[in-house]
Amino acid sequence: MSHFYLKPKLFSVMKTYTKEQLVKDVIAGIIVAIIALPLSIALALASGVEPACGVYTAIAAGFVVSFLGGSRIQIAGPTAAFATIVAGIVATQGMDGLFLATIMAGILLILMGVFKLGSLIKFIPYTITTGFTSGIAVTILVGQIKDFLGLTYANGIKPIETIEKLEANFAAMSTFSPQALLVGVVCLAILIIYPKFEKRVPPSLISVIVGVLMVKFIPGLDAGVFTIGELYTIPAGLPVVDFAGMDFSLAKIMAVFPDAFTIAILAAIESLLSCVVADSMVNSRHNSNAELVAQGAGNIASVLFGGIPATGAIARTAANAKNGGRTPISGMVHAIVLLLVLLFFMPYAGLIPMPAIAAILFMVAYNMSEWRKFVSVVKSAPKSDIAVMVVTFVLTVLFDLVIAIEVGMILAAMLFMKRMSDESAVTGWKYIDTENDADGLELRVVPQHVRVYEISGPMFFGAADKILDIELKDFTKCLVLRMRAVPAMDATAMNSLETLRKKCAERKVALVLSHVNEQPLAVMKKSGFYDAVGAENFCAHIDDALTLAAKL
């Protein structure tokens, strides 16, 4: 094993780095930072934390992931995928629960990279990722209705689940603010229409600036519109993390472990998916294991810097590629620019109206919903795949991502096993009168005292019982099992085969096996079955097996 398998991409690209590329990377980094600023604030608010936490995340995770990562242009930071799960953890376990869960998730991600588990992410079905991504989009959209309409909840009402939020919105409809809706609609219109005419300046930045100017200068508009500064404290300067008041007990660790596991899995899926998209844009190849280690380190750095969980952000990564970024330097520049904004301009974020933030998150939700993919799966996929996707989607909306992924994976695994079980078969050869049947002349001659069974498909616990269906006649002296179409076998199937061998031994029926593939043969040798049957009774070809059976 080469000790370079975790080598960051930064160290590889610096060998051929040029001044021209540095200029392009710096420009790309600045543009991505401008895009990331309003998004980071919006995603922090959607996650139920202070607005500055999103910027802290983009700085710390953004820098560390670019420095240590396995992709040329990956941009890391807060993403919509984490918004609902972070909000849930903060509401139920507090900020110390989120801190613990993210540190544990970071450690899990580093271990996944060290033990080369980057390739295992492909075992999470496309239907599950589509289901929960669309589900998260719906939860974000529902969560922003309050601010878009300028609603005010009654004292003590802090809804967490999507259904609770919908109920709270209906209950608070009497507090609807036309001014907030006007600001929200104008900002949303800018986000939709502006990119059709101008692609250089990020629409989210224009939207935020227009929102601020409307509230500031249109008479009477400020009365019904809350700004970030009115609802949250915007700190100036670097964050201070208070460890003194945090609960790091074993009970707390156990309570947040499922959330930590979900954060790790989600971070791995999102970031590696983003890497694949990035590869196609800049004709490169990422190192998935180095990327997982970087994501782990980035998440740990993020919470130590006062941030929240982070992962690779596909939209920001794509913007990096489109603006000339070709090395991890652009991601590091993006983090440094955001740090300067934090130090010198962060108090101005307090002027941003909440409906403008809601409009940005509506667009984030729409873009991540990938409803076209969802509809395509519903139209074209097998019913079992549609069921997995819809169940994952519904559970994400009604409950949370932890339950959705767990149930989705169990359901997908069970349906896959059912499908594999249906493909596996144990069929007996039919006996044909070869002398009087013209079609039978080409067939092999099988003596009457010999029974031949063809076993096909993977023999695992879902199909092992089919081996026990093999019948022996009173006159049977030899049983031939033809196994050329069995690629793999597990312990349960081996146990069924051993039961069949004992049944043959009791009835003094010889057992002959034909064309046993490499993996099943290894299982048979390890279990002692091979020696019990006898090496001489394993034949390479069915003709050899029939010749041996005729002698026996």
Side-chain angles (χ1 to χ4, degrees), residues 454-474:
E454 186 107 26
I455 305 178
S456 57
M459 280 292 126
F460 67 111
F461 57 88
D465 60 324
K466 293 180 181 179
I467 294 171
L468 301 177
D469 292 338
I470 292 173
E471 295 177 355
L472 299 173
K473 303 288 185 184
D474 293 338

Side-chain angles (χ1 to χ4, degrees), residues 221 337 466 490 536:
L221 206 60
V337 171
K466 293 180 181 179
D490 74 354
E536 68 280 2

